[in-house]
Amino acid sequence: MTSEAASKDPISVLSGFGAGMATSASKNGGRSTPSALTPRPRSGFVETEQVRDLTRRGLGFLNAGYPLHFRGPAGTGKTTLALHVAAQLGRPVIIITGDNELGTADLVGSQRGYHYRKVVDQFIHNVTKLEETANQHWTDHRLTTACREGFTLVYDEFTRSRPETHNVLLGVFEERMLFLPAQAREECYIKVHPEFRAIFTSNPQEYAGVHASQDALADRLATIDVDYPDRAMELAVASARTGMAEASAARIIDLVRAFRASGDYQQTPTMRASLMIARVAALEGLDVSVDDPRFVQLCSDALESRIFSGQRAEAVAREQRRAALYALIETYCPSVAKPRARRAGGGARAGVEGALP
């Protein structure tokens, strides 16, 4: 779905989004505010009909003023898609990553630091009068900044945060008002900027560190389910990200897709597994074939760990699963040698068995 990031900005690189990001900071009434990112779509972005359709549907909800929610399993490109859609809005972007320790103050803001003022009065030479005051300063955090300035908020994996953290979002999406805590002093609420938009992502299949979304929030979100990319997209991304010839990349893509379809795993193999195999094979100059024992071992290293996902298993069951994986390697990455040479060398199975640890 994407090519390499255009800049070395940390968020650009981590997101995998094919865009450069320029940071910008703002101040409002003397308050310090977080920096925002300005996404710039790049021509190298891999866009298929599937991506265009998801983008069109997402922008339809956002342009109508509804917060958008991309929901799907790991490896389906939700975060990349969210940043791509955000770039189409043409507004600065603020990113939040869900975390169990995230609280309402981390979204809205809090009192941070002190401002000291000391006055020494010696109007009468033998009398010294001292006056000292200390006042806390309110600091806007990311949600408040986005609402105040009309930025696009991208809340990645929001279900990793506790549901009560999101109570403040209910008023933002329904009444278009952000209610601030009493400590804000200067104002008890702010009116949400008309250009403010929000994009959420979540993984409904994740089992660790995830909370169920509260119904009140889910009811306010326009949810679009994102499935695994189609073959055309996976192939285009693999070729763009690794520089591998399309024919070789197709073999790896088909191998991983067949392994995924088999259901013979504990951890789902995603497009990241395809990219992992393709990138290492391209860097090491491996033949994408069962004839190359190093390539077979690479596939084993990248895929076999997903079969049991750290669970202990009986030796017989493990060997059966491994044999099934190696059969897929033979099928989708067949030998390129002549038939006679294969028979003389014991066939493809000899190459596979030779790669076994």
Side-chain angles (χ1 to χ4, degrees), residues 89-113:
L89 297 174
R91 299 287 296 171
V93 174
I94 286 184
I95 300 176
I96 299 175
T97 301
D99 187 272
N100 187 63
E101 300 302 319
L102 196 71
T104 301
D106 299 308
L107 296 179
V108 176
S110 60
Q111 299 284 3
R112 295 292 178 91

Side-chain angles (χ1 to χ4, degrees), residues 172-245:
V172 170
F173 297 143
E174 191 68 28
E175 289 81 21
R176 305 292 293 179
M177 302 288 289
L178 174 61
F179 299 97
L180 301 177
Q183 296 91 332
R185 292 186 181 180
E186 296 180 9
E187 49 191 347
C188 59
Y189 64 87
I190 63 172
K191 187 175 181 180
V192 176
H193 193 286
E195 295 295 327
F196 169 77
R197 296 294 184 270
I199 305 175
F200 295 73
T201 73
S202 72
N203 179 357
Q205 297 183 3
E206 186 62 81
Y207 62 91
V210 174
H211 303 275
S213 175
Q214 59 201 113
D215 292 342
L217 177 60
D219 189 51
R220 289 164 167 78
L221 304 180
T223 299
I224 296 179
D225 287 315
V226 181
D227 203 352
Y228 292 105
D230 56 27
R231 183 180 183 277
M233 184 189 299
E234 290 196 46
L235 182 56
V237 171
S239 298
R241 296 284 295 271
T242 67
M244 178 177 284

Side-chain angles (χ1 to χ4, degrees), residues 286-335:
L286 307 181
D287 292 330
V288 183
S289 166
V290 73
D291 292 333
D292 191 336
R294 294 185 301 163
F295 175 75
V296 175
Q297 184 64 65
L298 170 62
C299 294
S300 174
D301 292 338
L303 300 177
E304 188 179 338
S305 61
R306 302 171 188 269
I307 295 177
F308 296 101
S309 188
Q311 298 179 5
R312 297 187 62 182
E314 295 182 359
V316 174
R318 184 174 291 275
E319 288 302 322
Q320 289 175 346
R321 297 285 183 92
R322 295 176 70 189
L325 173 59
Y326 292 138
L328 291 176
I329 298 174
E330 285 185 309
T331 300
Y332 293 96
C333 302
S335 174

Side-chain angles (χ1 to χ4, degrees), residues 6 46 49 65 72-74 90 104 124 128-129 136 139 146 150 176 183 190 218 222 235 252 255 284 296-297 330 340:
V46 178
E49 185 59 36
T104 301
I124 301 176
T128 300
K129 180 181 179 181
Q136 281 190 306
T139 300
R176 305 292 293 179
Q183 296 91 332
I190 63 172
L235 182 56
I252 297 174
L255 166 64
E284 298 292 329
V296 175
Q297 184 64 65
E330 285 185 309
R340 179 174 300 177

Side-chain angles (χ1 to χ4, degrees), residues 26 51 61 119 143 148 169 203 295 308 323:
S26 62
V51 176
F61 287 114
V119 177
L143 174 62
R148 194 190 299 275
L169 294 172
N203 179 357
F295 175 75
F308 296 101

Side-chain angles (χ1 to χ4, degrees), residues 133-156:
T133 58
N135 298 316
Q136 281 190 306
H137 275 275
W138 172 264
T139 300
D140 283 352
H141 285 188
R142 298 181 185 186
L143 174 62
T144 305
T145 299
C147 291
R148 194 190 299 275
E149 304 291 341
F151 295 163
T152 299
L153 177 73
V154 175
Y155 196 161
D156 193 35

